[in-house]
Amino acid sequence: MDQLPAALERAGNEESWAVADAISRVLENSEELHSWRRHLLSACMKGLVAMWSSSKDENKQEVEKFMLLRLEELLCIVEEVDPDDWYSLVKTGLKYRYRDEAFLKVLNVAIQLLYKKESS
C-alpha cells in the first residue's frame, strides 16, 4: 500500500487507480483516509508533470484526460496541496498544455479551491 502512490506517478494507468480506489473504500471512515488521499493527489500531480515533460505530443490524450479528472476530483476532496507539487504542476502544465482546454479547466478549478480561503 505504501508503494502504490509511487507506482501511480510512473504508470498513470486506470488499473493502478482502480486499486487505489479500492484502498480508499477500505479506508473509508478511518483516520488514515485523508492522508491516503493526499498521497494520491501528490502522485496524480507528479504523474501529470512526468507525462507532460516526457511526451510533448498528443498520443496520451485519454490517459491525460483521466488523470486530469482524477486531479480535479482529489482537489475537491483534499482542498490542499504540497507547494512544490503545485508549483511543478502549474509550471509544467502551462509550458506544455497552455492551449489545452481540459488542463485550463482543471487549473481554474484548482485555483478557485486553493485560493478561496485567502480571498475570504
Side-chain angles (χ1 to χ4, degrees), residues 75-76 79 86 104-120:
L75 279 168
C76 290
E79 294 186 343
W86 174 244
L104 294 173
K105 176 186 170 284
V106 172
L107 180 62
N108 185 42
V109 168
I111 290 170
Q112 298 300 319
L113 283 168
L114 297 173
Y115 295 101
K116 70 180 177 188
K117 294 173 188 165
E118 290 180 10
S119 64
S120 299

Side-chain angles (χ1 to χ4, degrees), residues 50-95:
M51 189 183 316
W52 292 331
S53 298
S54 67
S55 101
K56 293 151 191 85
D57 57 54
E58 304 294 322
N59 64 350
K60 295 184 176 181
Q61 281 185 328
E62 289 305 312
V63 174
E64 186 177 328
K65 277 186 176 180
F66 172 80
M67 294 288 287
L68 285 168
L69 289 172
R70 180 59 59 134
L71 176 63
E72 184 176 355
E73 174 187 320
L74 287 166
L75 279 168
C76 290
I77 295 169
V78 177
E79 294 186 343
E80 59 183 307
V81 296
D82 177 78
D84 292 334
D85 291 344
W86 174 244
Y87 171 78
S88 294
L89 179 86
V90 172
K91 179 183 173 192
T92 309
L94 288 173
K95 181 176 182 180

